[in-house]
Amino acid sequence: MRDRFASSELLTWYDAHARDLPWRVPPDARRAGIVPDPYRVWLSEIMLQQTTVAAVKPYFLAFTERWPQVTELAAADEADVMAAWAGLGYYSRARNLVSCARAVAADGGRFPETEEGLRDLPGIGPYTAAAIAAIAHDQPATVVDGNVERVMARLHRIETPLPAAKSEIKAAAAAMTPADRPGDYAQAVMDLGATICTPKSPICSLCPWAPRCAGHLAGVAATLPRKAPKVPKPIRHGIAYVVHRSDGAWLLETRPPRGLLGGMLGWPTTQWCSEPESAPPVAAEWHDPGAEVRHTFTHFHLRLVVRVALVDDHFVPDRGQFVSAAEFRRGDLPTVMRKVYDLAAPAANELSSSSRRG
């Protein structure tokens, strides 16, 4: 049975304390009949996966200024979208973003209104489908992200460790999802988790659900949800090769469409493995800047040693292509490749200066 009293309490709190987010229609505007744009809801939800609100805001604003409608994003060059996404991480999302936009555009530019229809689109899984159905279409879908997991685990005192507790938490969340204002309710639970029921030091004194929260009443709210011990991430190694041409151009290549950083611009590298084999992209005199780049992906830590070479203006590479100094933009690179550039650029510039002096 749905707990309409609990959902009503939270909606009252949300009406007064809803976060001001660029992709959100505020509760008072929604009650006045302003309908959320499914495109903006979808775009924000894809960007917010594994990423913070603070990190997403500037990207969301830049995307919606450049591509205000899903049909405009669908018509964009994939390389431009990947470049605009650079730095936001989890790059398969950007590839799926373009595929999904094109699928929606091919169907008249309208997003499906049901979870089932939304899940048929590229890059939209169960959570994202539920979020779009609830927030954009006011469907009574059960939306469970990390914030909602935490709130439900504490509210119902679910002590089973994650991830084993996911089904129990989903059932608890489903039982509380109201038929009235489900879109606002979904955002309210997420706001509660983000601002009050935070991972550390929850502010129970400000929580509208504190009087009914089993975890709070038992004094264990801050310890929930429990989590199974983490398995240490493995370490992979690789070599990044930075080629600087004497006219200032840089040698870049587009990574394969599948796999990590798929479709992104980057420096030529070896495979990322336990013992990478040297595989320079050109025959040249390679220099060691004397440090390594460290970066962490979801499932492993990466350690990249960097090698730098200077070639003349007429050099023709076997792989990749040179990007002129005027066209090169550090911001178009994914974060790990930016780190490589920051380490390699001083050494490359010093090689260029020495060559001119010589």
Side-chain angles (χ1 to χ4, degrees):
M1 179 180 294
R2 301 186 190 277
D3 191 334
R4 61 186 180 87
F5 297 109
S7 61
S8 177
E9 291 166 355
L10 188 63
L11 284 166
T12 298
W13 173 85
Y14 178 71
D15 288 343
H17 300 286
R19 288 181 292 175
D20 181 13
L21 301 174
W23 48 82
R24 175 178 286 177
V25 173
D28 54 346
R30 188 158 187 162
R31 289 196 301 274
I34 298 177
V35 179
D37 180 354
Y39 169 61
R40 295 171 70 87
V41 175
W42 161 73
L43 181 61
S44 68
E45 288 297 336
I46 298 298
M47 288 185 167
L48 285 165
Q49 292 170 11
Q50 306 292 324
T51 314
T52 65
V53 167
V56 164
K57 280 183 179 180
Y59 283 90
F60 177 85
L61 293 171
F63 263 72
T64 51
E65 180 178 356
R66 187 171 181 179
W67 301 294
Q69 304 293 331
V70 68
T71 49
E72 292 170 297
L73 182 60
D77 186 282
E78 185 171 310
D80 290 338
V81 178
M82 298 298 285
W85 188 277
L88 197 53
Y90 301 92
Y91 294 97
S92 62
R93 293 181 297 166
R95 296 193 298 275
N96 286 329
L97 199 73
V98 177
S99 298
C100 184
R102 290 173 179 169
V104 172
D107 196 30
R110 293 177 60 84
F111 282 85
E113 296 187 7
T114 66
E115 288 184 74
E116 293 76 14
L118 288 160
R119 288 184 65 173
D120 287 339
L121 293 171
I124 296 185
Y127 163 76
T128 306
I132 298 170
I135 298 169
H137 302 298
D138 221 22
Q139 299 291 320
T142 302
V143 183
V144 182
D145 68 351
N147 284 316
V148 178
E149 282 186 341
R150 184 168 58 256
V151 170
M152 291 297 143
R154 290 171 175 175
L155 182 65
H156 298 279
R157 194 180 173 182
I158 297 172
E159 301 198 34
T160 305
L162 288 168
K166 284 184 176 292
S167 59
E168 189 177 355
I169 288 173
K170 178 70 177 287
M176 299 189 68
T177 301
D180 180 48
R181 298 179 63 191
D184 281 347
Y185 173 80
Q187 294 173 104
V189 184
M190 290 188 278
D191 276 14
L192 186 70
T195 63
I196 301 296
C197 197
T198 52
K200 296 180 180 179
S201 305
I203 314 171
C204 298
S205 60
L206 298 181
C207 179
W209 277 347
R212 64 170 70 240
C213 177
H216 169 64
L217 295 173
V220 297
T223 70
L224 300 174
R226 306 203 191 287
K227 295 181 180 180
K230 287 186 177 180
V231 177
K233 292 181 180 181
I235 298 176
R236 297 182 189 175
H237 299 269
I239 306 170
Y241 298 99
V242 178
V243 182
H244 197 207
R245 205 165 62 185
S246 53
D247 63 356
W250 300 92
L251 181 65
L252 295 171
E253 64 180 10
T254 301
R255 294 179 63 84
R258 296 190 177 276
L260 282 171
L261 310 184
M264 299 294 293
L265 274 178
W267 312 106
T269 73
T270 62
Q271 290 186 337
W272 299 344
C273 53
S274 58
E275 296 182 5
E277 294 184 7
S278 179
V282 301
E285 182 180 354
W286 292 95
H287 299 264
D288 180 359
E292 70 175 10
V293 166
R294 297 190 171 196
H295 190 75
T296 296
F297 291 96
T298 306
H299 301 299
F300 66 93
H301 300 293
L302 178 64
R303 304 287 185 264
L304 283 179
V305 297
V306 178
R307 298 292 181 262
V308 182
L310 179 68
V311 298
D312 64 42
D313 294 1
H314 305 292
F315 188 90
V316 178
D318 293 330
R319 60 189 267 200
Q321 60 184 19
F322 280 101
V323 177
S324 70
E327 295 177 337
F328 175 79
R329 294 188 297 271
R330 175 184 177 276
D332 287 353
L333 302 175
T335 302
V336 65
M337 297 299 177
R338 294 182 196 177
K339 292 179 180 179
V340 171
Y341 172 79
D342 292 342
L343 177 60
N349 291 329
E350 177 58 31
L351 287 175
S352 297
S353 297
S354 297
S355 176
R356 288 193 294 271
R357 291 196 299 267

